[in-house]
Amino acid sequence: MDVQVSTFLEKESSAHRMDARSKIAMLAVYSVGIFFVDGWLGMAAYAAMLAVVALCLRAPLRRIAVLGVPVYVIALMTVAFNMFQATEVGLAFSMEGLQRGCFFAARILLLVWFSLVVCFTVQATELVQAFSRIMSPLRALRVPVDDISMVFSIALRFIPQMVEEYFQIRDAQWCRCAEFDEGPVASRVKAHCAIMVPMFVGLFRRADRLAASMDARCYGMRGVVRTDIRAASMGAPSVAAAVGAFAFCSAVSILL
């Protein structure tokens, strides 16, 4: 039993062995490069890159798919708004608009999925350390690097947590016989409003606890340089992954 547990922990640690700065660099290159693609072949190449990165990092694909439900609604709205165009008679269906809407929706989904892959394979402390090391040259200009890196990491981590909390509250309301998929649209919107109130209350409570924790750790004090327990360094695999992602995205964006 101990051997099985140690093997499992070793596999989990190896999945996240890549340096966080390399993952952030891949996310930045991916986010910028995908906007230079204007064809389905290039979009397919970016989708293949997403699949390879997710498998190599052993990201929780099922959880990522579930947390992306609100983004699916936005993608469907994007398709719906582009598939109809205004004419003298009224709204008319356009095949060109449908293709354009599907292309924009695919771009949104790929960006969100790649961001979630990075969020679920990097710990919050690793994110803070990575952002702090990336922006460390700005310390000479008296830029509050530690505070900015903490804000970035919180923004990345709060997105999946907020979505997960939404589903938890929705399931709790559903157990109390709340109806979200039945009745007219007005009643459905009213039912979902009952989810938003406790969700925002929970977010404010979490933000208050986080503010108290940051205040106890002296965040915001001038002249204080934060240190890390473990001094992480980018190894050859992490550097190769970042360089490979940059080369791949650059080639796809230029050629396709």
Side-chain angles (χ1 to χ4, degrees), residues 206-227:
R206 182 174 296 175
D208 183 67
R209 291 195 297 267
L210 180 62
S213 177
M214 294 176 64
D215 184 66
R217 290 167 174 80
C218 299
Y219 275 95
M221 292 186 62
R222 296 183 178 180
V224 176
V225 179
R226 311 197 67 83
T227 58

Side-chain angles (χ1 to χ4, degrees), residues 33-108:
I34 198 171
F35 283 97
F36 288 92
V37 173
D38 55 1
W40 283 107
L41 187 59
M43 195 65 66
Y46 273 91
M49 177 182 173
L50 170 63
V52 171
V53 172
L55 292 177
C56 292
L57 297 180
R58 299 179 183 177
L61 301 181
R62 181 176 299 179
R63 191 177 181 185
I64 290 175
V66 172
L67 292 179
V69 171
V71 185
Y72 305 154
V73 177
I74 297 176
L76 290 176
M77 293 175 60
T78 302
V79 175
F81 290 152
N82 282 275
M83 65 187 296
F84 294 101
Q85 61 180 3
T87 61
E88 297 179 356
V89 181
L91 294 177
F93 174 79
S94 172
M95 181 60 67
E96 181 181 358
L98 176 61
Q99 295 177 357
R100 183 174 61 252
C102 292
F103 186 82
F104 291 157
R107 176 181 290 168
I108 294 173

